[in-house]
């Protein structure tokens, strides 16, 4: 009987703890990624063959991070050379996302960065708004 | 204890039988015939070859309507169609046919580049272009919706469905091409069609 009570208690603790710890790491950035990016770049940023580039390890999450808000808003077109070959396609601009959402998205996508640039960014919506004003 | 067991076994076996039988019953039931497709056409594929209805003689095929610059559902449709492609790549009885609904942009060269980037074989997965006056009525014949609309992202409203046609040109199913569970079902259903005489 003692064992059973202990077990129930343990299950209770696990059930209570789970929802508290899980969302703390994400403030909606993952949802924004799934809604606005994953249909082309894949759920995990794995891309689709040579049609939609892999995002894992993209320099836009590392040294080119400050250019990311502008390419999200205005899209990207023309030749780019990536590890898996060259792309000469068009990513449409996304005019729906505001600075705050882009900031949340970027805090989430920084986990796609690899190598020495793999630090998670703490970019704020003010910083994103400032960057967006300077897009060409 | 032994009495209990003796009593329980037949019940369990009866239950198991019912479960098994109902499972089998479902699988042997043929897919419904939802319509037929007999409209001849002449379109050009990603390699510049002419594709007609005869290309699909005695073939089971999956068809859809898309455009290469579509920002919304097409990328997912192509991800899912690629899964069907992988499932049947070595089966010459099964073909895929994707029509562009934006032929002004999606020329043979554009489709060629698109297909190369998807790393697909033309003999298995045809991507076709041609006059809208041919392509749009085809969509209607497959009972798939295609409408030009300046309000829609990318300029078109179109169905995200995959339509399954059997070797006798009967329409046997529609599957949401943006839903991987429905595409799993499509792949299973093709297996069932192949068993038909």
């Amino acid at each position: 009987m003692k064992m059973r009570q202990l077990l129930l208690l343990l299950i209770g603790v696990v059930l209570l703890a789970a929802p508290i710890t899980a969302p703390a790491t994400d403030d909606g950035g993952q949802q924004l990624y799934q809604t606005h990016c994953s249909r082309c770049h894949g759920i995990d940023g794995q891309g689709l063959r040579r049609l939609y580039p892999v995002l894992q390890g993209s320099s836009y999450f590392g040294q080119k991070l400050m250019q990311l808000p502008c390419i999200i808003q205005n899209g990207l077109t023309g030749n780019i050379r990536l590890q898996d070959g060259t792309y000469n396609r068009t990513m449409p601009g996304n005019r729906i996302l505001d600075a705050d959402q882009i900031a949340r998205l970027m805090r989430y996508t920084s986990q796609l960065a690899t190598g020495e640039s793999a630090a998670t960014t703490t970019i704020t919506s003010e910083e994103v708004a400032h960057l967006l004003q300077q897009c060409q | 204890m032994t009495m209990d067991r003796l009593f329980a076994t037949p019940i369990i076996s009866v239950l198991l039988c019912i479960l098994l039988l109902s499972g089998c019953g479902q699988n042997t039931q043929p897919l419904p015939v939802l319509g037929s497709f007999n409209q001849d056409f002449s379109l050009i594929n990603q390699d510049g070859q002419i594709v007609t209805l005869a290309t699909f003689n005695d073939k089971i095929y999956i068809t859809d309507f898309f455009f290469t610059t579509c920002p919304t559902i097409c990328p997912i449709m192509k991800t899912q169609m690629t899964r069907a492609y992988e499932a049947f790549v070595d089966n010459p009885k099964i073909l895929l046919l994707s029509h562009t609904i934006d032929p002004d942009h999606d020329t043979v060269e554009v489709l060629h580049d698109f297909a190369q980037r998807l790393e697909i074989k033309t003999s298995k997965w045809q991507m076709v272009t041609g006059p809208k006056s041919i392509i749009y009525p085809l969509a209607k014949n497959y009972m798939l919706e295609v409408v030009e609309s300046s309000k829609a992202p990318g300029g078109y409203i179109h169905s995200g469905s995959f339509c399954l046609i059997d070797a006798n040109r009967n329409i046997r199913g529609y599957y949401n091409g943006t839903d991987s569970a429905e595409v799993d079902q499509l792949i299973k259903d093709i297996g069932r069609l192949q068993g038909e005489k």
Side-chain angles (χ1 to χ4, degrees), chain A residues 20-62:
Chain A
I20 296 167
T21 46
T25 48
D26 182 39
D27 54 0
Q30 179 170 20
Q31 185 57 46
L32 288 166
Y33 177 83
Q34 299 308 350
T35 308
H36 296 280
C37 318
S38 73
R39 62 176 182 276
C40 290
H41 294 289
I43 304 278
D44 306 310
Q46 75 273 29
L48 177 61
R49 308 233 165 153
R50 291 190 303 114
L51 204 51
Y52 299 107
V54 178
L55 290 186
Q56 291 152 357
S58 165
S59 54
Y60 282 95
F61 305 121

Side-chain angles (χ1 to χ4, degrees), chain B residues 95-112:
Chain B
L95 299 181
L96 313 181
L97 170 63
S98 291
H99 307 75
T100 178
I101 57 173
D102 184 13
D104 298 338
H105 178 268
D106 293 342
T107 56
V108 170
E109 294 75 50
V110 170
L111 291 182
H112 186 80

Side-chain angles (χ1 to χ4, degrees), chain A residues 38-40 48-52 86-90 92, chain B residues 68 71-72 75-76 78-79 82 86 114 116-119:
Chain A
S38 73
R39 62 176 182 276
C40 290
L48 177 61
R49 308 233 165 153
R50 291 190 303 114
L51 204 51
Y52 299 107
T86 58
Y87 287 79
N88 189 2
R89 305 200 64 238
T90 298
Chain B
T68 61
T72 51
I76 316 178
K78 290 293 153 280
T79 305
T82 305
E86 290 299 335
F114 193 86
Q116 273 205 325
R117 292 189 169 281
L118 262 183
E119 295 159 0

Side-chain angles (χ1 to χ4, degrees), chain B residues 107-173:
Chain B
T107 56
V108 170
E109 294 75 50
V110 170
L111 291 182
H112 186 80
D113 179 62
F114 193 86
Q116 273 205 325
R117 292 189 169 281
L118 262 183
E119 295 159 0
I120 58 170
K121 285 191 287 191
T122 308
S123 57
K124 170 64 60 182
W125 186 351
Q126 312 263 357
M127 298 193 160
V128 293
T129 184
K132 282 184 183 173
S133 60
I134 295 182
I135 294 170
Y136 284 43
L138 286 180
K140 235 194 200 123
N141 278 301
Y142 287 113
M143 297 186 272
L144 294 171
E145 184 196 34
V146 175
V147 188
E148 273 182 273
S149 160
S150 54
K151 289 197 195 86
Y156 300 89
I157 299 170
H158 66 107
S159 162
S161 292
F162 295 162
C163 179
L164 173 61
I165 296 97
D166 71 15
N168 302 314
R169 306 202 198 292
N170 289 319
I171 296 174
R172 303 304 290 275

